Amino acid sequence: QVQLVESGGGLVQAGGSLRLSCAASGRSFSDYGMGWFRQAPGKEREFVAGINRSTRNTDYSASVKGRFTISRDNAKNSVYLQMSALKPDDTAVYYCAARPSPEDAIVLLPILYDYWGQGTQVTVSS
């Protein structure tokens, strides 16, 4: 069992930066692949970034690649999302998610993640 708590959201102007954090409780955090997802009003939840449990590999959606960076610190049971050059289209509730990952892979589909945080709102003004 893993519990996830996101923080770091807020209101920022276009072009600005934010850093989201996700703190995990429970044992064996390093056994979990981690992902960040977002959901805007009226839209489906979408993959933003993922990192495998060994931290060797990351993946990003095309819309954020080059602007966002995902990282994790297994010693601190935490995963982060550094967001730069933010755009109004990035406005959404951002969720972190975890899934047991014996295959050490990055998974893009939300349905394949077992644990979710409560979300943190990111609003980018134009």
Side-chain angles (χ1 to χ4, degrees), residues 25-75:
S25 63
R27 297 181 296 178
S28 303
F29 175 72
S30 59
D31 289 343
Y32 292 83
M34 301 298 297
W36 283 98
F37 294 78
R38 66 187 182 187
Q39 188 166 18
K43 295 187 177 181
E44 292 187 354
R45 191 168 298 189
E46 64 173 356
F47 173 82
V48 174
I51 187 166
N52 66 345
R53 59 182 176 85
S54 66
T55 76
R56 291 194 189 97
N57 296 312
T58 58
D59 198 5
Y60 299 90
S61 68
S63 62
V64 308
K65 196 168 187 178
R67 300 187 297 122
F68 291 11
T69 302
I70 187 171
S71 61
R72 67 189 290 169
D73 185 337
N74 287 343

Short mmCIF file of all heavy atoms in Angstrom, two decimals, residues 25-75:
data_model
loop_
_atom_site.label_atom_id
_atom_site.label_comp_id
_atom_site.label_asym_id
_atom_site.label_seq_id
_atom_site.Cartn_x
_atom_site.Cartn_y
_atom_site.Cartn_z
N SER A 25 4.22 7.52 1.21
CA SER A 25 4.39 6.81 2.48
C SER A 25 4.23 5.33 2.22
O SER A 25 3.57 4.91 1.27
CB SER A 25 3.35 7.28 3.49
OG SER A 25 2.05 6.99 3.04
N GLY A 26 4.82 4.54 3.08
CA GLY A 26 4.79 3.11 2.88
C GLY A 26 6.17 2.60 2.54
O GLY A 26 7.08 3.38 2.24
N ARG A 27 6.30 1.31 2.53
CA ARG A 27 7.60 0.72 2.30
C ARG A 27 7.86 0.50 0.82
O ARG A 27 6.96 0.52 0.01
CB ARG A 27 7.69 -0.61 3.06
CG ARG A 27 7.59 -0.47 4.55
CD ARG A 27 7.70 -1.81 5.23
NE ARG A 27 6.60 -2.69 4.87
CZ ARG A 27 6.49 -3.95 5.30
NH1 ARG A 27 7.44 -4.46 6.05
NH2 ARG A 27 5.46 -4.68 4.95
N SER A 28 9.09 0.29 0.48
CA SER A 28 9.51 -0.15 -0.84
C SER A 28 9.12 0.83 -1.94
O SER A 28 8.69 0.41 -3.02
CB SER A 28 8.91 -1.53 -1.16
OG SER A 28 9.28 -2.46 -0.17
N PHE A 29 9.30 2.12 -1.69
CA PHE A 29 9.01 3.12 -2.71
C PHE A 29 9.80 2.83 -3.99
O PHE A 29 9.30 3.04 -5.10
CB PHE A 29 9.37 4.50 -2.18
CG PHE A 29 9.23 5.61 -3.17
CD1 PHE A 29 7.98 6.05 -3.59
CD2 PHE A 29 10.35 6.23 -3.72
CE1 PHE A 29 7.85 7.08 -4.51
CE2 PHE A 29 10.23 7.26 -4.63
CZ PHE A 29 8.97 7.69 -5.02
N SER A 30 10.99 2.33 -3.84
CA SER A 30 11.85 2.07 -5.01
C SER A 30 11.33 0.91 -5.87
O SER A 30 11.87 0.67 -6.96
CB SER A 30 13.28 1.80 -4.59
OG SER A 30 13.33 0.68 -3.72
N ASP A 31 10.32 0.21 -5.43
CA ASP A 31 9.71 -0.86 -6.23
C ASP A 31 8.65 -0.33 -7.19
O ASP A 31 8.10 -1.10 -7.99
CB ASP A 31 9.07 -1.92 -5.33
CG ASP A 31 10.10 -2.75 -4.60
OD1 ASP A 31 11.28 -2.73 -5.01
OD2 ASP A 31 9.73 -3.41 -3.62
N TYR A 32 8.35 0.95 -7.11
CA TYR A 32 7.22 1.52 -7.86
C TYR A 32 7.69 2.41 -8.99
O TYR A 32 8.55 3.28 -8.81
CB TYR A 32 6.32 2.33 -6.93
CG TYR A 32 5.58 1.48 -5.93
CD1 TYR A 32 6.18 1.08 -4.74
CD2 TYR A 32 4.28 1.06 -6.19
CE1 TYR A 32 5.50 0.29 -3.83
CE2 TYR A 32 3.60 0.27 -5.28
CZ TYR A 32 4.21 -0.11 -4.10
OH TYR A 32 3.53 -0.90 -3.21
N GLY A 33 7.10 2.20 -10.17
CA GLY A 33 7.21 3.19 -11.22
C GLY A 33 6.28 4.35 -10.89
O GLY A 33 5.19 4.15 -10.34
N MET A 34 6.70 5.56 -11.22
CA MET A 34 5.95 6.75 -10.86
C MET A 34 5.58 7.55 -12.10
O MET A 34 6.33 7.60 -13.08
CB MET A 34 6.77 7.63 -9.92
CG MET A 34 7.17 6.95 -8.62
SD MET A 34 5.78 6.46 -7.61
CE MET A 34 5.03 8.05 -7.24
N GLY A 35 4.42 8.18 -12.03
CA GLY A 35 3.99 9.02 -13.13
C GLY A 35 3.31 10.28 -12.63
O GLY A 35 2.79 10.32 -11.52
N TRP A 36 3.35 11.29 -13.48
CA TRP A 36 2.56 12.51 -13.27
C TRP A 36 1.51 12.57 -14.38
O TRP A 36 1.82 12.36 -15.56
CB TRP A 36 3.43 13.75 -13.33
CG TRP A 36 4.24 14.00 -12.11
CD1 TRP A 36 5.55 13.68 -11.90
CD2 TRP A 36 3.80 14.63 -10.90
NE1 TRP A 36 5.94 14.07 -10.65
CE2 TRP A 36 4.89 14.66 -10.01
CE3 TRP A 36 2.58 15.19 -10.47
CZ2 TRP A 36 4.81 15.21 -8.73
CZ3 TRP A 36 2.49 15.74 -9.21
CH2 TRP A 36 3.60 15.75 -8.34
N PHE A 37 0.29 12.87 -13.99
CA PHE A 37 -0.83 13.02 -14.91
C PHE A 37 -1.51 14.36 -14.63
O PHE A 37 -1.28 14.95 -13.58
CB PHE A 37 -1.83 11.87 -14.73
CG PHE A 37 -1.30 10.53 -15.11
CD1 PHE A 37 -0.45 9.83 -14.26
CD2 PHE A 37 -1.62 9.96 -16.33
CE1 PHE A 37 0.06 8.59 -14.62
CE2 PHE A 37 -1.12 8.72 -16.71
CZ PHE A 37 -0.28 8.04 -15.84
N ARG A 38 -2.32 14.78 -15.57
CA ARG A 38 -3.09 16.01 -15.33
C ARG A 38 -4.47 15.87 -15.95
O ARG A 38 -4.68 15.11 -16.89
CB ARG A 38 -2.37 17.22 -15.90
CG ARG A 38 -2.25 17.25 -17.41
CD ARG A 38 -1.38 18.44 -17.84
NE ARG A 38 -1.26 18.53 -19.29
CZ ARG A 38 -0.45 19.39 -19.91
NH1 ARG A 38 0.32 20.22 -19.20
NH2 ARG A 38 -0.42 19.42 -21.23
N GLN A 39 -5.39 16.63 -15.39
CA GLN A 39 -6.76 16.61 -15.90
C GLN A 39 -7.31 18.03 -15.86
O GLN A 39 -7.41 18.64 -14.80
CB GLN A 39 -7.63 15.67 -15.08
CG GLN A 39 -9.01 15.45 -15.67
CD GLN A 39 -9.73 14.27 -15.06
OE1 GLN A 39 -9.36 13.78 -13.98
NE2 GLN A 39 -10.74 13.77 -15.74
N ALA A 40 -7.65 18.52 -17.03
CA ALA A 40 -8.27 19.83 -17.16
C ALA A 40 -9.78 19.66 -17.17
O ALA A 40 -10.29 18.58 -17.50
CB ALA A 40 -7.80 20.52 -18.44
N PRO A 41 -10.54 20.71 -16.83
CA PRO A 41 -12.00 20.60 -16.82
C PRO A 41 -12.55 20.13 -18.16
O PRO A 41 -12.17 20.66 -19.22
CB PRO A 41 -12.45 22.03 -16.51
CG PRO A 41 -11.31 22.62 -15.76
CD PRO A 41 -10.08 22.02 -16.37
N GLY A 42 -13.40 19.12 -18.12
CA GLY A 42 -14.03 18.62 -19.33
C GLY A 42 -13.15 17.73 -20.18
O GLY A 42 -13.57 17.32 -21.27
N LYS A 43 -11.95 17.44 -19.70
CA LYS A 43 -11.03 16.60 -20.48
C LYS A 43 -10.66 15.34 -19.70
O LYS A 43 -10.81 15.28 -18.47
CB LYS A 43 -9.77 17.39 -20.83
CG LYS A 43 -10.01 18.56 -21.76
CD LYS A 43 -8.71 19.18 -22.21
CE LYS A 43 -8.93 20.31 -23.19
NZ LYS A 43 -7.65 20.92 -23.66
N GLU A 44 -10.17 14.36 -20.42
CA GLU A 44 -9.73 13.12 -19.78
C GLU A 44 -8.38 13.33 -19.10
O GLU A 44 -7.60 14.22 -19.47
CB GLU A 44 -9.63 12.00 -20.82
CG GLU A 44 -10.97 11.56 -21.39
CD GLU A 44 -10.83 10.35 -22.29
OE1 GLU A 44 -9.69 9.92 -22.55
OE2 GLU A 44 -11.87 9.83 -22.73
N ARG A 45 -8.12 12.47 -18.13
CA ARG A 45 -6.81 12.51 -17.48
C ARG A 45 -5.75 12.07 -18.48
O ARG A 45 -5.92 11.06 -19.18
CB ARG A 45 -6.82 11.61 -16.25
CG ARG A 45 -5.63 11.77 -15.35
CD ARG A 45 -5.84 11.08 -14.03
NE ARG A 45 -6.97 11.66 -13.29
CZ ARG A 45 -7.26 11.37 -12.03
NH1 ARG A 45 -6.51 10.51 -11.36
NH2 ARG A 45 -8.29 11.92 -11.44
N GLU A 46 -4.65 12.81 -18.54
CA GLU A 46 -3.63 12.49 -19.52
C GLU A 46 -2.25 12.36 -18.87
O GLU A 46 -1.95 13.01 -17.87
CB GLU A 46 -3.57 13.58 -20.61
CG GLU A 46 -3.16 14.95 -20.13
CD GLU A 46 -2.95 15.95 -21.27
OE1 GLU A 46 -3.05 15.57 -22.45
OE2 GLU A 46 -2.68 17.12 -20.96
N PHE A 47 -1.45 11.52 -19.50
CA PHE A 47 -0.08 11.31 -19.06
C PHE A 47 0.74 12.56 -19.32
O PHE A 47 0.64 13.18 -20.38
CB PHE A 47 0.51 10.13 -19.83
CG PHE A 47 1.97 9.90 -19.62
CD1 PHE A 47 2.43 9.22 -18.51
CD2 PHE A 47 2.89 10.35 -20.55
CE1 PHE A 47 3.79 8.99 -18.33
CE2 PHE A 47 4.24 10.13 -20.38
CZ PHE A 47 4.69 9.46 -19.27
N VAL A 48 1.58 12.92 -18.34
CA VAL A 48 2.48 14.05 -18.48
C VAL A 48 3.93 13.57 -18.51
O VAL A 48 4.69 13.90 -19.43
CB VAL A 48 2.29 15.06 -17.33
CG1 VAL A 48 3.33 16.17 -17.40
CG2 VAL A 48 0.88 15.63 -17.34
N ALA A 49 4.31 12.79 -17.51
CA ALA A 49 5.70 12.33 -17.41
C ALA A 49 5.75 11.08 -16.56
O ALA A 49 4.91 10.88 -15.69
CB ALA A 49 6.59 13.42 -16.81
N GLY A 50 6.76 10.25 -16.82
CA GLY A 50 6.93 9.03 -16.04
C GLY A 50 8.40 8.76 -15.81
O GLY A 50 9.26 9.19 -16.58
N ILE A 51 8.68 8.04 -14.74
CA ILE A 51 10.05 7.66 -14.41
C ILE A 51 10.03 6.25 -13.85
O ILE A 51 9.16 5.90 -13.07
CB ILE A 51 10.68 8.66 -13.42
CG1 ILE A 51 12.16 8.37 -13.20
CG2 ILE A 51 9.92 8.70 -12.10
CD1 ILE A 51 12.91 9.52 -12.51
N ASN A 52 10.96 5.43 -14.31
CA ASN A 52 10.95 4.06 -13.82
C ASN A 52 11.58 3.99 -12.43
O ASN A 52 12.16 4.96 -11.94
CB ASN A 52 11.63 3.13 -14.82
CG ASN A 52 13.12 3.40 -14.97
OD1 ASN A 52 13.60 4.44 -14.56
ND2 ASN A 52 13.82 2.46 -15.55
N ARG A 53 11.45 2.83 -11.82
CA ARG A 53 11.83 2.75 -10.40
C ARG A 53 13.32 2.85 -10.20
O ARG A 53 13.78 3.32 -9.17
CB ARG A 53 11.29 1.45 -9.79
CG ARG A 53 11.77 0.18 -10.44
CD ARG A 53 11.13 -1.02 -9.78
NE ARG A 53 11.50 -2.26 -10.45
CZ ARG A 53 12.60 -2.94 -10.20
NH1 ARG A 53 13.44 -2.50 -9.28
NH2 ARG A 53 12.86 -4.06 -10.85
N SER A 54 14.09 2.47 -11.20
CA SER A 54 15.54 2.55 -11.08
C SER A 54 16.08 3.94 -11.43
O SER A 54 17.28 4.17 -11.32
CB SER A 54 16.20 1.50 -11.97
OG SER A 54 15.96 1.81 -13.33
N THR A 55 15.20 4.83 -11.88
CA THR A 55 15.50 6.22 -12.28
C THR A 55 16.36 6.31 -13.54
O THR A 55 16.78 7.40 -13.91
CB THR A 55 16.20 7.02 -11.14
OG1 THR A 55 17.57 6.61 -11.05
CG2 THR A 55 15.51 6.82 -9.82
N ARG A 56 16.55 5.21 -14.23
CA ARG A 56 17.39 5.28 -15.44
C ARG A 56 16.66 5.90 -16.62
O ARG A 56 17.28 6.47 -17.51
CB ARG A 56 17.85 3.87 -15.83
CG ARG A 56 18.83 3.25 -14.87
CD ARG A 56 19.48 2.02 -15.49
NE ARG A 56 20.28 1.28 -14.52
CZ ARG A 56 19.83 0.21 -13.86
NH1 ARG A 56 18.63 -0.26 -14.11
NH2 ARG A 56 20.60 -0.41 -13.00
N ASN A 57 15.34 5.74 -16.63
CA ASN A 57 14.58 6.17 -17.80
C ASN A 57 13.44 7.09 -17.42
O ASN A 57 12.81 6.95 -16.36
CB ASN A 57 14.00 4.96 -18.52
CG ASN A 57 15.10 4.07 -19.08
OD1 ASN A 57 16.02 4.54 -19.72
ND2 ASN A 57 14.99 2.79 -18.83
N THR A 58 13.17 8.05 -18.31
CA THR A 58 12.03 8.95 -18.17
C THR A 58 11.30 9.04 -19.50
O THR A 58 11.87 8.71 -20.56
CB THR A 58 12.48 10.36 -17.74
OG1 THR A 58 13.39 10.87 -18.71
CG2 THR A 58 13.15 10.34 -16.38
N ASP A 59 10.06 9.48 -19.45
CA ASP A 59 9.28 9.67 -20.67
C ASP A 59 8.35 10.85 -20.45
O ASP A 59 7.95 11.14 -19.32
CB ASP A 59 8.49 8.41 -21.00
CG ASP A 59 8.02 8.37 -22.44
OD1 ASP A 59 8.38 9.28 -23.21
OD2 ASP A 59 7.26 7.46 -22.81
N TYR A 60 8.03 11.53 -21.54
CA TYR A 60 7.21 12.74 -21.46
C TYR A 60 6.19 12.76 -22.59
O TYR A 60 6.44 12.23 -23.68
CB TYR A 60 8.09 13.99 -21.58
CG TYR A 60 9.13 14.12 -20.49
CD1 TYR A 60 10.39 13.57 -20.65
CD2 TYR A 60 8.83 14.76 -19.30
CE1 TYR A 60 11.34 13.67 -19.65
CE2 TYR A 60 9.77 14.87 -18.29
CZ TYR A 60 11.02 14.31 -18.47
OH TYR A 60 11.95 14.42 -17.47
N SER A 61 5.08 13.42 -22.34
CA SER A 61 4.16 13.66 -23.43
C SER A 61 4.78 14.69 -24.36
O SER A 61 5.63 15.50 -23.96
CB SER A 61 2.82 14.17 -22.89
OG SER A 61 2.96 15.46 -22.33
N ALA A 62 4.34 14.68 -25.60
CA ALA A 62 4.88 15.59 -26.59
C ALA A 62 4.64 17.05 -26.19
O ALA A 62 5.44 17.93 -26.50
CB ALA A 62 4.27 15.30 -27.96
N SER A 63 3.54 17.30 -25.51
CA SER A 63 3.17 18.68 -25.18
C SER A 63 4.05 19.30 -24.10
O SER A 63 4.09 20.53 -23.98
CB SER A 63 1.70 18.73 -24.75
OG SER A 63 1.49 17.95 -23.58
N VAL A 64 4.76 18.49 -23.33
CA VAL A 64 5.58 19.04 -22.25
C VAL A 64 7.07 18.75 -22.43
O VAL A 64 7.89 19.28 -21.68
CB VAL A 64 5.12 18.51 -20.87
CG1 VAL A 64 3.64 18.73 -20.68
CG2 VAL A 64 5.49 17.06 -20.65
N LYS A 65 7.40 17.92 -23.38
CA LYS A 65 8.80 17.53 -23.57
C LYS A 65 9.65 18.77 -23.83
O LYS A 65 9.30 19.64 -24.64
CB LYS A 65 8.93 16.54 -24.73
CG LYS A 65 10.23 15.80 -24.75
CD LYS A 65 10.18 14.65 -25.73
CE LYS A 65 11.42 13.79 -25.63
NZ LYS A 65 11.38 12.62 -26.54
N GLY A 66 10.75 18.85 -23.13
CA GLY A 66 11.63 20.01 -23.26
C GLY A 66 11.32 21.12 -22.28
O GLY A 66 12.12 22.05 -22.10
N ARG A 67 10.15 21.07 -21.65
CA ARG A 67 9.75 22.10 -20.67
C ARG A 67 9.65 21.53 -19.26
O ARG A 67 9.88 22.25 -18.30
CB ARG A 67 8.41 22.71 -21.06
CG ARG A 67 8.40 23.38 -22.42
CD ARG A 67 7.09 24.13 -22.67
NE ARG A 67 5.94 23.24 -22.69
CZ ARG A 67 4.89 23.36 -21.89
NH1 ARG A 67 4.85 24.33 -20.98
NH2 ARG A 67 3.86 22.53 -21.99
N PHE A 68 9.26 20.27 -19.14
CA PHE A 68 9.07 19.64 -17.83
C PHE A 68 10.16 18.59 -17.61
O PHE A 68 10.63 17.95 -18.55
CB PHE A 68 7.72 18.94 -17.76
CG PHE A 68 6.52 19.85 -17.74
CD1 PHE A 68 6.61 21.21 -18.01
CD2 PHE A 68 5.25 19.33 -17.46
CE1 PHE A 68 5.50 22.03 -17.99
CE2 PHE A 68 4.13 20.13 -17.44
CZ PHE A 68 4.26 21.49 -17.71
N THR A 69 10.51 18.40 -16.34
CA THR A 69 11.49 17.37 -15.97
C THR A 69 10.99 16.61 -14.76
O THR A 69 10.66 17.21 -13.73
CB THR A 69 12.85 18.00 -15.64
OG1 THR A 69 13.33 18.74 -16.77
CG2 THR A 69 13.87 16.91 -15.30
N ILE A 70 10.92 15.30 -14.89
CA ILE A 70 10.53 14.45 -13.78
C ILE A 70 11.79 13.87 -13.14
O ILE A 70 12.76 13.56 -13.83
CB ILE A 70 9.58 13.32 -14.24
CG1 ILE A 70 9.04 12.54 -13.04
CG2 ILE A 70 10.26 12.40 -15.24
CD1 ILE A 70 7.94 11.55 -13.40
N SER A 71 11.76 13.76 -11.82
CA SER A 71 12.87 13.15 -11.11
C SER A 71 12.32 12.49 -9.85
O SER A 71 11.17 12.73 -9.46
CB SER A 71 13.94 14.20 -10.75
OG SER A 71 13.39 15.19 -9.89
N ARG A 72 13.14 11.67 -9.25
CA ARG A 72 12.72 11.02 -8.01
C ARG A 72 13.93 10.86 -7.10
O ARG A 72 15.07 10.77 -7.55
CB ARG A 72 12.06 9.67 -8.27
CG ARG A 72 12.97 8.61 -8.83
CD ARG A 72 12.17 7.38 -9.25
NE ARG A 72 11.63 6.64 -8.12
CZ ARG A 72 10.74 5.67 -8.22
NH1 ARG A 72 10.27 5.33 -9.41
NH2 ARG A 72 10.30 5.05 -7.14
N ASP A 73 13.65 10.81 -5.81
CA ASP A 73 14.68 10.57 -4.81
C ASP A 73 14.16 9.40 -3.97
O ASP A 73 13.30 9.59 -3.10
CB ASP A 73 14.90 11.82 -3.96
CG ASP A 73 16.04 11.68 -2.98
OD1 ASP A 73 16.38 10.53 -2.63
OD2 ASP A 73 16.59 12.70 -2.57
N ASN A 74 14.66 8.23 -4.24
CA ASN A 74 14.16 7.04 -3.53
C ASN A 74 14.49 7.08 -2.05
O ASN A 74 13.77 6.51 -1.24
CB ASN A 74 14.72 5.78 -4.17
CG ASN A 74 14.06 5.48 -5.52
OD1 ASN A 74 12.99 6.01 -5.84
ND2 ASN A 74 14.70 4.67 -6.33
N ALA A 75 15.56 7.77 -1.69
CA ALA A 75 15.91 7.88 -0.27
C ALA A 75 14.91 8.75 0.49
O ALA A 75 14.72 8.58 1.70
CB ALA A 75 17.31 8.45 -0.11
#
